[in-house]
């Protein structure tokens, strides 16, 4: 027997997850070389650093959760974002990672850096543009 569920609100329907995950274990060639030179001991550091970060990019907000034992969550709403830059350094392009730097009208987090994303950041950027088209829904006018 199933229990009836409440209908989804418009906020739940409208929000789409564009990316959710952690940074890459080995973000670039420099990290890969360090892992080889230290006979894999650097991978322990990289793994702990990776466990301490979790990214979630949706059509409504960007959420960054940091910390391994004590957690801190930063949330930046999309409408507060004024600019974003896609960075794809050569060493990261070879390993399929990239960075996104977000500038926002937020006093606590004016600049947000999503590093070593294991997705094609250009596709993520284009997904954001496809979602909003040529509009700029993120700018707030007073």
């Amino acid at each position: 027997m199933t229990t009836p569920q409440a209908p989804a609100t418009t906020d739940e329907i409208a929000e789409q997850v564009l990316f959710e995950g952690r940074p890459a274990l080995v973000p670039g060639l420099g990290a890969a070389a360090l892992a080889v030179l230290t006979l894999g001991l650097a991978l322990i550091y990289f793994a702990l650093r990776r466990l301490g970060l979790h990214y979630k990019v949706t059509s409504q907000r960007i959420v960054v959760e940091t910390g391994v034992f004590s957690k801190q969550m930063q949330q930046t709403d999309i409408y507060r974002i004024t600019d974003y830059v896609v960075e794809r350094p050569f060493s990261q392009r070879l390993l399929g990672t990239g960075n996104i730097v977000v500038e926002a009208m937020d006093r606590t987090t004016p600049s947000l850096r999503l590093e070593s994303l294991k997705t094609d950041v250009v596709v993520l950027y284009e997904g954001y543009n496809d979602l909003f088209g040529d509009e700029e829904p993120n700018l707030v006018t007073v």
Side-chain angles (χ1 to χ4, degrees):
M1 183 169 171
T2 61
T3 56
Q5 296 181 356
T9 64
T10 56
D11 290 339
E12 292 173 355
I13 294 171
E15 188 166 11
Q16 300 173 10
V17 176
L18 301 175
F19 174 79
E20 183 170 6
R22 298 185 183 281
L25 179 62
V26 181
L29 288 180
L34 184 62
V36 170
L37 289 175
T38 60
L39 302 175
L41 291 177
L43 289 176
I44 297 170
Y45 167 74
F46 295 146
L48 286 175
R49 187 178 67 172
R50 179 178 185 258
L51 282 176
L53 275 173
H54 185 264
Y55 302 127
K56 184 175 183 181
V57 179
T58 70
S59 59
Q60 301 292 323
R61 61 190 56 90
I62 298 174
V63 180
V64 178
E65 188 176 321
T66 57
V68 176
F69 300 112
S70 297
K71 299 282 187 178
Q72 180 181 3
M73 185 182 295
Q74 294 177 337
Q75 177 174 307
T76 302
D77 292 325
I78 293 294
Y79 73 87
R80 291 186 175 271
I81 293 176
T82 57
D83 193 22
Y84 53 96
V85 177
V86 175
E87 296 178 344
R88 296 183 65 209
F90 179 70
S91 66
Q92 286 189 337
R93 281 191 359 226
L94 290 176
L95 295 178
T97 62
N99 307 322
I100 295 180
V101 181
V102 176
E103 300 292 329
M105 297 182 299
D106 193 13
R107 285 196 281 159
T108 59
T109 316
S111 181
L112 185 62
R113 186 174 177 87
L114 308 176
E115 293 184 342
S116 306
L117 298 178
K118 296 181 296 185
T119 186
D120 188 359
V121 291
V122 174
V123 172
L124 183 61
Y125 171 80
E126 289 170 354
Y128 177 81
N129 283 340
D130 289 345
L131 192 63
F132 294 111
D134 293 334
E135 303 173 9
E136 292 189 17
N138 48 357
L139 299 179
V140 177
T141 57
V142 181

